[in-house]
C-alpha cells in the first residue's frame, strides 16, 4: 500500500523514517536538519559510529540508525544525487535511494516506511521527475516484496499535488 500525506516527516508514526541525508551523515539543512533536531543526539551518535566504520554514505546508498525521539523505530539515511542536468546517472541514483532504503527497512523488520522528497531541495532535482522515480520505485518494490506501507510525506503543496497526480493516474 502506498499512502500520501502532506505534513512534517518528523511527526509520522512508522517503523522507519527516511532521511534525505548528505554523505557526511552529520546533519545539514532541510529534511536532514529537521530529523536530526527532532530526533536528538542519539541519531548523531549512531551516525558517528557509521562514519568511523565506513566513512559516511555514498550517493544512492542507505544506512540505518536509531530514531531517537522521533515516533519511529529507525531512521534510514540515504544520500540523493545532486542534479547535474540529467545525463550523469541521477535518475538511477535517485531510484537506488528508494530501493536501498526499502531493502534496509525489510532487513530490519520494518513494515511501514515514510519518505520525504529526496533531492528536490538544495540538490536541485526536478520535482516532477523525482516524484515519478519515487512512485515507480515504490510500486515496483511493493509488487515483489512484503512491506506493509510506503508513505510519501510532502512538506509543501507543490510536491503533494505532483505525487497526488502521479498516484491517481493509471499506469
Amino acid at each position: 500500500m502506498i499512502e500520501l500525506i502532506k505534513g512534517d516527516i518528523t511527526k509520522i508514526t512508522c517503523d522507519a523514517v527516511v532521511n534525505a541525508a548528505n554523505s557526511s551523515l552529520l546533519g545539514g539543512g532541510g529534511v536532514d536538519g529537521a530529523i536530526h533536531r527532532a530526533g536528538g543526539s542519539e541519531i548523531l551518535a549512531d551516525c558517528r559510529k557509521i562514519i568511523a566504520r565506513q566513512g559516511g554514505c555514498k550517493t544512492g546508498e542507505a544506512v540505518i540508525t536509531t530514531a531517537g525521539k522521533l515516533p519511529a523505530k529507525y531512521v534510514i539515511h540515504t544520500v540523493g544525487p545532486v542534479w547535474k542536468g540529467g545525463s550523469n546517472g541521477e535518475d538511477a541514483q535517485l531510484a537506488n535511494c528508494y530501493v536501498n532504503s526499502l531493502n534496509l527497512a525489510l532487513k530490519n523488520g520494518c513494515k511501514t516506511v515514510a519518505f520525504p522528497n529526496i533531492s528536490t531541495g538544495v540538490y536541485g532535482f526536478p520535482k516532477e521527475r523525482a516524484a515519478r522515480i519515487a512512485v515507480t520505485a515504490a510500486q515496483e518494490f511493493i509488487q515483489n516484496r512484503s512491506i506493509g506501507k510506503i508513505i510519501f510525506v510532502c512538506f509543501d503543496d507543490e510536491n503533494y499535488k505532483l505525487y497526488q497526480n502521479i498516484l491517481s493516474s493509471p499506469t
Side-chain angles (χ1 to χ4, degrees):
M1 174 180 175
I2 296 176
E3 185 177 341
L4 176 64
I5 295 174
K6 182 175 181 282
D8 180 348
I9 198 163
T10 67
K11 308 246 190 276
I12 303 298
T13 301
C14 59
D15 292 327
V17 168
V18 176
N19 179 20
N22 61 52
S23 60
S24 77
L25 298 177
L26 295 175
V31 172
D32 193 16
I35 285 175
H36 276 270
R37 282 190 300 278
S41 60
E42 300 93 338
I43 296 172
L44 183 57
D46 273 6
C47 285
R48 288 183 195 273
K49 290 175 192 169
I50 292 166
I51 294 163
R53 190 173 60 243
Q54 70 183 43
C57 187
K58 294 179 182 168
T59 302
E61 294 183 3
V63 295
I64 193 166
T65 67
T66 180
K69 297 174 186 141
L70 295 174
K73 294 178 189 170
Y74 303 104
V75 174
I76 296 173
H77 307 263
T78 189
V79 180
V82 173
W83 181 255
K84 296 176 184 166
S87 58
N88 295 290
E90 295 100 315
D91 289 0
Q93 289 174 326
L94 185 59
N96 285 340
C97 288
Y98 290 94
V99 172
N100 289 332
S101 294
L102 288 165
N103 279 326
L104 195 53
L106 274 184
K107 183 178 173 186
N108 286 275
C110 300
K111 297 289 182 200
T112 55
V113 182
F115 282 96
N117 309 117
I118 299 169
S119 283
T120 61
V122 295
Y123 283 14
F125 209 105
K127 292 179 180 183
E128 183 175 359
R129 187 171 179 152
R132 289 192 184 285
I133 290 166
V135 169
T136 300
Q139 289 171 333
E140 288 174 1
F141 193 91
I142 268 184
Q143 286 178 357
N144 301 314
R145 293 168 199 86
S146 64
I147 197 151
K149 188 185 332 183
I150 296 171
I151 308 163
F152 289 114
V153 184
C154 299
F155 191 72
D156 64 358
D157 287 328
E158 182 184 5
N159 276 307
Y160 182 82
K161 288 174 185 168
L162 287 169
Y163 276 80
Q164 198 173 40
N165 289 339
I166 293 165
L167 287 166
S168 65
S169 64
T171 35

